């Protein structure tokens, strides 16, 4: 159906309709033409019949007149007259009376013979054979009749002729011979009334007939009728040429009837004209309809084109609009994205520093209004840099994301958590009730990091340091509060990490000191103001110095003695640790190598886990230290802390293995202060375990501490590790540890860390005090 519809498109329909209309008009023309031809033929036939009827009528007329004249010529009055004449009767007697009768008969014929109330005869004359007029209906016409004019009228039959007289219109004259007693005695001459002939021949004609008729004889033509020619006589021939022409003889007369009729033609055949006009008129609505259809179609086409155009344009517009909308949305989205990116941290999705600051600002405004306190918590992940450096950024990212998740899990909706950058988070707790709840909250945040983080099936141990400030006492605005919290956080770090700290005014001074120390440490290193002190490590069983721990010392001219507990973390932060480490290695190795002559002691050097971020460099430093000093590798003890082990990478393991393979001994320092994970002890190739001095401090009075020390020693034994007890400060410590089969000891009881010279003195002297 659709196909058909498409095939019969409106334009096609119009073409078909136009062809049909043309065919219709052609057929109309053909039919009209045929009709006209037929009409012409029938006109011809009809005219032929008409002319024939005219001639027949005229024949009949002449026959009748002949009969009448014959009758008259043999009429009783006629015979009587000639009988009387023949008998020689005089006029006065019987001839006159018979002539009178004859005249009366003649007149009667004239008056009685009418056609259409017209007299057939105009004049009746009885002319004697000798030419004398016997009787004449026309009065005063003379007494003689010209016989010469009638030489041929000898027969009995009627002679019909045309008489032309000079000043008269030609007329038809009938001449009938009158005989008596077998001899011609007279002629009966009848002048016909021309009008009768004319009316006979024009019975069917009228003004609009458009015809012309003449009666033709050898003597001349008699004009009958003309409603055809309009032009002067000279053009008559031409004018008549295109008309239907008949020439018919009228039997028994000398006449021929010539007639012309205007033929029916396109112009004049009214019927066909009207017919065409009618048909054309009928065609008009068709044409108009077609035109209208065409216009409509055109309009439709235009409309459709316009519609399609507008549809197309609409489509284009809508596409453009769509594109625009998409573009706008894209832009909006990208603006939002940008705004989001500008305000949020891509990794954790948390508000970034700026946004966090803004949120804090808002909370401060609210707090100001509601007169409440706001807790600002600065949370810094411990050892994060180490994870990043040793395990790569993906591990660091994982830790940050998991830390975020844990933090978000534990806070209220009204609290604000933001990432300030790196491993620093800002937690804003509005409407803080009191410091106790702050403490509680901080402890809870710390506990969130108790469980290790998992990365590639590896457990990563992370702790946090939290610094806190409270609005309004620690600061009136965002900057102050953040700076205070930061300072407090720094303190928490210094306090050994995995801790929290509230800001107090003194901290600011501490911070200033840290900043100052940072600069001065660089100077000290450059000016070679750092020293290595040595603390003896005693074999508890023999009370002999079997080794020394190299401990760095810094006496600042301005700040005086600065503990390694203060400057080592500082150096770890500012990167100086690598140089400090190198310095310690070189110095201690050199010294130890020297002391080998006195005693084959071990030198224990502390290594920060930060130094292991560049294992290759570290290995080179150690190797160079040994090479330059000539100290045998097996005399070098590498002290590392648990923090290195928590979040290690393969490089660290392989370096440790490499060092051990070279003969160095590995010690786990400060054991018990960190996570003290047994798995690490098994995993790493340690030789020694150093119990942190904190365990020894309360050992006298604390059973649990003692138990802990016992357990550590037992565990170390089980793992085939030698134990070094740090912080032996008195005899009791020494005795107890010895009794527990702790191999080595170190502490003030034996000696504080001392300069090389003093240590050397120690090597030479035998200390009675050390043994009981
Ligand atoms: P550590 O490795 O555990 O060193 C032992 C610390 O305990 C030393 O503190 C030492 O003076 C102290 N000590 C030893 N016996 C006793 C005692 O009986 N009582 C008390 N109260 N303390 C005792 P120091 O020298 O202040 O060093 C602190 C920490 O600084 C060291 O702890 C070590 O971790 C670090 N350190 C020192 N020098 C260096 C160094 O050259 N490189 C690195 N990376 N760290 C170092
Ligand atoms: Mg140590
Ligand atoms: Mg230690």
């Amino acid at each position: 159906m659709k196909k058909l519809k498409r095939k019969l498109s409106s334009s096609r329909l119009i073409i078909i309709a136009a062809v049909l209309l043309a065919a219709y008009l052609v057929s109309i023309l053909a039919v009209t033409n045929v009709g006209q031809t037929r009409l012409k033929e029938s006109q011809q036939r009809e005219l032929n019949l008409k002319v024939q009827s005219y001639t027949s009528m005229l024949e009949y007329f002449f026959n009748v007149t002949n009969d009448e004249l014959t009758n008259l010529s043999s009429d009783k009055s006629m015979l009587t007259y000639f009988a009387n004449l023949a008998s020689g009767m005089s006029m006065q007697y019987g001839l006159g009376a018979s002539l009178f009768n004859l005249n009366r008969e003649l007149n009667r014929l004239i008056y009685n013979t009418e056609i259409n109330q017209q007299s057939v005869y105009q004049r009746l004359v009885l002319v004697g054979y000798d030419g004398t007029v016997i009787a004449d209906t026309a009065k005063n016409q003379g007494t003689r009749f010209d016989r010469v004019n009638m030489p041929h009228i000898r027969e009995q039959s009627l002679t019909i002729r045309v008489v032309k007289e000079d000043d008269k219109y030609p007329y038809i004259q009938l001449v009938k011979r009158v005989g008596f007693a077998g001899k011609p005695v007279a002629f009966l001459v009848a002048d016909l009334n021309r009008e009768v002939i004319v009316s006979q021949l024009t019975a069917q004609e009228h003004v609009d007939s458009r015809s012309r008729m003449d009666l033709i004889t050898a003597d001349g033509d008699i004009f009958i009728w003309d409603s055809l020619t309009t032009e002067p006589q000279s053009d008559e021939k031409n004018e008549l040429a295109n008309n239907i022409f008949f020439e018919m003889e009228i039997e028994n007369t000398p006449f021929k009837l010539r007639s012309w009729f205007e033929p029916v033609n396109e112009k004049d055949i009214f019927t066909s004209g009207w017919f065409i006009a009618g048909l054309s008129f009928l065609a008009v609505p068709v044409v108009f309809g077609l035109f209208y259809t065409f216009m409509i179609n055109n309009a439709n086409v235009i409309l459709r084109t316009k519609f399609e155009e507008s549809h197309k344009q609409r489509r284009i517009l809508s596409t453009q609009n769509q594109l625009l909308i998409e573009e706008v949305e894209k832009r909006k989205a990208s603006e939002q994205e940008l705004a989001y990116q500008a305000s949020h941290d891509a990794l954790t999705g948390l508000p970034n520093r700026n946004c966090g600051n803004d949120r804090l600002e808002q909370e401060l405004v609210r707090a100001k209004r509601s007169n409440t306190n706001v807790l600002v918590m600065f949370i810094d992940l411990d050892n994060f840099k180490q994870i990043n450096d040793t395990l790569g950024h993906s591990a660091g990212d994982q830790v940050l994301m998991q830390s975020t998740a844990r933090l978000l899990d534990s806070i209220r909706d009204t609290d604000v958590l933001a990432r300030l950058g790196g491993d620093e988070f800002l937690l804003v707790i509005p409407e803080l009730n009191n410091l106790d709840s702050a403490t509680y909250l901080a402890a809870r945040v710390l506990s969130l990091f108790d469980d290790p983080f998992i990365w590639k099936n590896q457990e990563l141990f992370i702790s946090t340091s939290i610094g806190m400030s409270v609005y309004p006492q620690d600061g009136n605005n965002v900057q102050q509060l953040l700076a205070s919290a930061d300072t407090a956080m720094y303190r928490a770090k210094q306090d050994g990490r995995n801790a929290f700290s509230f800001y107090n005014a003194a901290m600011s001074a501490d911070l200033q000191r840290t900043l100052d120390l940072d600069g001065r440490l660089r100077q000290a290193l450059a000016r070679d103001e750092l020293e290595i002190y040595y603390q003896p490590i005693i074999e508890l069983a023999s009370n002999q110095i079997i080794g020394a721990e190299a401990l760095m010392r810094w006496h600042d001219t301005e700040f005086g003695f600065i503990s390694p507990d203060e400057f080592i973390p500082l150096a770890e932060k500012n990167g100086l640790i690598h140089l400090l480490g190198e310095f310690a290695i070189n110095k201690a190795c050199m010294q130890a190598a020297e002391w080998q002559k006195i005693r084959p002691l071990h030198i224990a050097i502390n290594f920060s886990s930060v130094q292991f971020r560049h294992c290759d460099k570290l290995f080179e430093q150690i190797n160079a230290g040994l090479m330059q000093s000539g100290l045998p590798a097996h005399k070098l003890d590498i002290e590392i802390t648990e923090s290195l082990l928590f979040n290690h990478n393969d490089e660290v393991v392989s370096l440790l293995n490499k060092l051990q393979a070279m003969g160095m001994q590995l010690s786990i320092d400060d054991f018990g202060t960190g996570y003290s994970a047994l798995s690490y002890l098994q995993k790493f190739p340690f030789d020694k375990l150093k119990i942190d001095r904190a365990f020894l401090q309360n050992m006298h009075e604390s059973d649990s501490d003692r138990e802990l020390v016992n357990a550590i020693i037992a565990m170390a034994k089980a793992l085939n590790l030698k134990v070094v007890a740090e912080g032996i400060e008195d005899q009791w410590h020494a005795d107890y540890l010895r009794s527990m089969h702790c191999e080595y000891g170190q502490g003030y009881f034996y000696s504080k860390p001392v300069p090389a010279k003093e240590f050397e003195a120690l090597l030479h002297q035998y200390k009675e005090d050390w043994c009981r």
Side-chain angles (χ1 to χ4, degrees):
M1 193 66 190
K2 257 187 175 176
K3 218 174 168 186
L4 187 74
K5 230 178 177 181
R6 214 181 308 134
K7 272 189 176 175
L8 286 177
S9 66
S10 51
S11 56
R12 251 178 218 197
L13 272 173
I14 286 169
I15 292 169
I16 291 167
V19 168
L20 284 175
L21 182 68
Y24 171 69
L25 289 174
V26 166
S27 62
I28 284 173
L29 285 174
V31 166
T32 310
N33 201 269
V34 170
Q36 282 189 354
T37 312
R38 291 275 157 83
L39 208 63
K40 279 178 194 169
E41 283 170 7
S42 86
Q43 189 196 18
Q44 187 93 17
R45 269 198 307 276
E46 188 194 321
L47 291 172
N48 193 26
L49 280 173
K50 190 162 86 174
V51 176
Q52 270 181 10
S53 89
Y54 285 152
T55 52
S56 305
M57 215 155 59
L58 220 55
E59 273 171 36
Y60 178 72
F61 174 79
F62 283 110
N63 283 342
V64 169
T65 49
N66 184 31
D67 286 352
E68 275 176 353
L69 292 179
T70 305
N71 284 344
L72 186 63
S73 63
S74 57
D75 188 79
K76 192 179 151 192
S77 60
M78 187 73 75
L79 292 177
T80 304
Y81 171 75
F82 283 107
N84 289 341
L85 187 67
S87 65
M89 212 177 275
S90 66
M91 279 299 232
Q92 291 86 1
Y93 189 66
L95 190 63
S98 58
L99 186 61
F100 177 79
N101 282 340
L102 191 59
N103 269 320
R104 200 177 57 192
E105 276 311 308
L106 289 181
N107 281 315
R108 199 166 52 87
L109 191 61
I110 283 179
Y111 293 119
N112 289 349
T113 313
E114 283 184 345
I115 294 175
N116 296 335
Q117 293 166 345
Q118 282 182 317
S119 296
V120 175
Y121 306 106
Q122 232 167 12
R123 182 183 176 194
L124 279 174
V125 182
L126 186 66
V127 180
Y129 216 68
D130 55 355
T132 55
V133 174
I134 300 166
D136 191 350
T137 55
K139 307 279 184 272
N140 308 321
Q141 290 289 323
T143 54
R144 287 217 42 96
F145 207 87
D146 186 7
R147 276 192 66 191
V148 185
N149 286 338
M150 308 178 254
H152 58 285
I153 309 171
R154 297 189 189 285
E155 295 91 42
Q156 200 129 26
S157 61
L158 184 72
T159 299
I160 301 165
R161 61 179 191 182
V162 174
V163 179
K164 273 194 209 164
E165 288 175 14
D166 293 340
D167 53 344
K168 278 190 180 170
Y169 211 74
Y171 62 92
I172 300 168
Q173 195 169 64
L174 307 179
V175 181
K176 179 78 183 172
R177 199 181 65 174
V178 181
F180 183 75
K183 283 194 278 185
V185 286
F187 296 102
L188 190 57
V189 178
D191 292 347
L192 285 179
N193 183 358
R194 183 179 153 272
E195 294 307 316
V196 173
I197 302 290
V198 168
S199 70
Q200 288 277 303
L201 289 178
T202 59
Q204 296 175 45
E205 305 305 315
H206 45 87
V207 183
D208 298 327
S209 299
R210 310 284 295 157
S211 54
R212 173 177 173 152
M213 274 177 279
D214 291 330
L215 274 177
I216 312 293
T217 64
D219 303 324
D221 301 344
I222 295 173
F223 168 75
I224 301 295
W225 165 265
D226 189 2
S227 60
L228 191 62
T229 55
T230 51
E231 300 293 318
Q233 288 300 71
S234 58
D235 288 336
E236 199 173 67
K237 241 187 180 169
N238 277 341
E239 205 175 347
L240 291 173
N242 294 324
N243 293 294
I244 300 169
F245 173 69
F246 296 98
E247 190 177 78
M248 284 189 196
E249 286 190 8
I250 299 165
E251 292 286 321
N252 303 321
T253 71
F255 298 120
K256 282 179 184 171
L257 179 62
R258 272 188 190 167
S259 54
W260 292 265
F261 297 94
E262 192 179 59
V264 282
N265 56 27
E266 289 80 355
K267 201 170 79 186
D268 296 318
I269 300 173
F270 289 109
T271 47
S272 69
W274 284 114
F275 180 61
I276 288 174
L279 288 178
S280 301
F281 185 72
L282 277 178
V284 164
V286 177
V287 171
F288 270 107
L290 204 62
F291 182 70
Y292 182 68
T293 315
F294 183 73
M295 292 301 282
I296 282 178
N297 182 67
N298 252 9
N300 271 350
V301 168
I302 291 165
L303 268 179
R304 202 170 56 227
T305 313
K306 275 187 180 170
F307 177 75
E308 279 167 6
E309 198 60 32
S310 76
H311 191 69
K312 207 168 139 191
Q313 274 183 344
R314 263 216 311 275
R315 233 180 21 233
I316 292 169
L317 269 178
S318 102
T319 314
Q320 283 177 343
N321 208 24
Q322 192 59 35
L323 286 174
L324 206 70
I325 288 168
E326 276 171 22
E327 187 60 34
V328 167
E329 274 170 5
K330 249 191 234 166
R331 281 192 186 182
K332 255 193 216 164
S334 76
E335 273 169 18
Q336 278 173 355
E337 178 74 20
L338 276 175
Y340 184 84
Q341 278 175 2
S343 62
H344 284 77
D345 166 49
L347 179 69
T348 60
L350 290 176
N352 62 14
R353 179 183 287 273
N354 285 339
C355 185
N357 289 355
D358 290 347
R359 303 282 289 273
L360 175 56
E361 178 95 60
Q362 290 164 14
E363 293 304 335
L364 294 184
V365 171
R366 250 197 288 274
K368 232 173 246 176
R369 232 184 276 138
S370 58
N371 206 20
T372 51
N373 294 331
V374 178
L375 174 65
V376 178
M377 227 185 238
F378 221 100
I379 304 167
D380 190 290
L381 302 186
D382 299 329
N383 311 319
F384 178 74
K385 192 162 169 38
Q386 186 190 347
I387 289 179
N388 239 357
D389 290 347
T390 56
L391 300 180
H393 287 276
S394 68
D397 288 352
Q398 196 61 38
V399 166
L400 285 171
M401 286 194 283
Q402 289 186 27
S403 302
T404 303
R406 289 183 191 190
L407 285 165
L408 283 174
D409 254 9
S410 73
I411 61 171
R412 300 174 301 180
D413 287 348
T414 49
D415 301 340
V416 177
L417 181 67
R419 186 181 169 201
L420 298 181
D423 56 354
E424 291 175 344
F425 293 91
L426 168 70
L427 182 56
V428 178
I429 315 278
E431 293 170 14
L432 181 75
N433 296 329
N434 48 48
L435 281 187
D436 283 349
S437 49
T439 308
Y440 167 75
L441 285 168
R444 213 174 71 193
V445 171
L446 285 186
S447 72
L448 292 176
F449 294 83
D450 284 349
D451 291 335
F453 291 78
I454 306 298
W455 178 74
K456 287 188 179 172
N457 293 328
Q458 190 177 332
E459 290 185 331
L460 307 179
F461 290 91
I462 300 284
S463 59
T464 53
S465 299
I466 301 171
M468 289 179 283
S469 61
V470 178
Y471 169 84
Q473 65 246 34
D474 297 332
N476 210 17
N477 57 45
V478 172
Q479 283 70 33
Q480 280 177 0
L481 285 164
L482 286 178
S484 301
D486 194 21
T487 307
M489 192 274 293
Y490 206 81
R491 168 53 61 90
K493 288 257 182 215
Q494 282 181 327
D495 288 351
R497 304 171 182 222
N498 196 21
F500 58 83
S501 150
F502 283 103
Y503 173 79
N504 61 50
M507 283 180 183
S508 293
D510 289 353
L511 188 66
Q512 190 53 53
R513 175 185 161 84
T514 307
L515 290 173
D516 292 343
L517 287 183
D518 188 285
R520 296 197 72 84
L521 183 59
R522 287 170 203 276
Q523 268 185 11
L525 189 68
R527 293 177 187 168
D528 204 15
E529 288 171 2
L530 296 170
E531 280 179 285
I532 299 292
Y533 276 33
Y534 301 90
Q535 186 176 34
I537 297 171
I538 312 296
E539 188 182 49
L540 293 179
S542 63
N543 284 325
Q544 293 291 317
I545 299 174
I546 54 96
E549 180 173 4
L551 294 162
M552 201 170 287
R553 290 293 176 265
W554 176 25
H555 289 272
D556 185 72
T557 47
E558 193 181 319
F559 290 92
F561 176 78
I562 299 153
S563 162
D565 283 331
E566 192 176 1
F567 74 80
I568 292 291
L570 188 68
E572 283 175 343
K573 267 197 174 169
N574 64 21
L576 280 177
I577 191 69
H578 301 289
L579 293 174
L580 292 184
E582 190 178 20
F583 168 76
I585 293 165
N586 290 337
K587 253 281 160 23
C589 284
M590 204 62 89
Q591 195 58 67
E594 225 173 83
W595 286 335
Q596 293 301 311
K597 297 165 202 160
I598 307 166
R599 195 172 295 187
L601 50 76
H602 283 243
I603 181 79
I605 300 175
N606 291 288
F607 286 88
S608 158
S609 48
V610 175
Q611 287 173 270
F612 282 86
R613 287 178 195 165
H614 305 289
C615 286
D616 292 347
K617 197 170 154 193
L618 184 60
F619 176 75
E620 273 175 31
Q621 287 178 357
I622 296 169
N623 209 30
L626 290 176
M627 299 296 269
Q628 281 163 19
S629 63
L631 183 76
H634 65 271
K635 292 295 175 195
L636 178 59
D637 287 3
I638 308 282
E639 288 194 11
I640 55 171
T641 55
E642 280 177 297
S643 65
L644 174 67
L645 311 178
F646 295 155
N647 310 313
H648 65 275
N649 63 7
D650 294 343
E651 254 186 290
V652 172
V653 182
S654 70
L655 176 61
L656 292 177
N657 280 323
K658 203 154 110 185
L659 296 176
Q660 198 182 44
M662 286 167 73
M664 286 165 244
Q665 296 214 333
L666 296 182
S667 302
I668 177 95
D669 202 357
D670 304 339
F671 190 81
T673 53
Y675 291 92
S676 308
L678 254 180
S679 58
Y680 289 135
L681 293 179
Q682 286 173 311
K683 199 170 174 184
F684 290 93
F686 287 113
D687 300 288
K688 288 176 185 152
L689 182 152
K690 294 183 85 169
I691 303 174
D692 194 77
R693 64 175 188 268
F695 293 102
L696 272 73
Q697 266 166 12
N698 303 319
M699 224 167 61
H700 297 110
E701 46 287 3
S702 166
D703 287 348
S704 65
D705 274 17
R706 229 171 18 244
E707 287 303 315
L708 210 59
V709 170
N710 293 348
I712 292 171
I713 294 170
M715 185 188 69
K717 293 261 173 245
L719 291 169
N720 210 17
L721 301 175
K722 304 273 187 235
V723 180
V724 183
E726 282 182 341
I728 296 180
E729 292 189 350
D730 53 35
Q731 188 70 54
W732 187 88
H733 279 142
D735 289 345
Y736 182 82
L737 288 162
R738 192 179 298 112
S739 73
M740 293 307 297
H741 303 290
C742 170
E743 282 87 2
Y744 310 108
Q746 180 183 354
Y748 293 172
F749 174 63
Y750 298 107
S751 168
K752 282 194 171 184
V754 289
K757 274 235 163 85
E758 284 179 39
F759 186 84
E760 205 174 309
L762 283 176
L763 285 179
H764 286 298
Q765 75 185 54
Y766 177 75
K767 281 269 184 181
E768 285 295 329
D769 302 352
W770 292 355
C771 21
R772 213 187 281 183

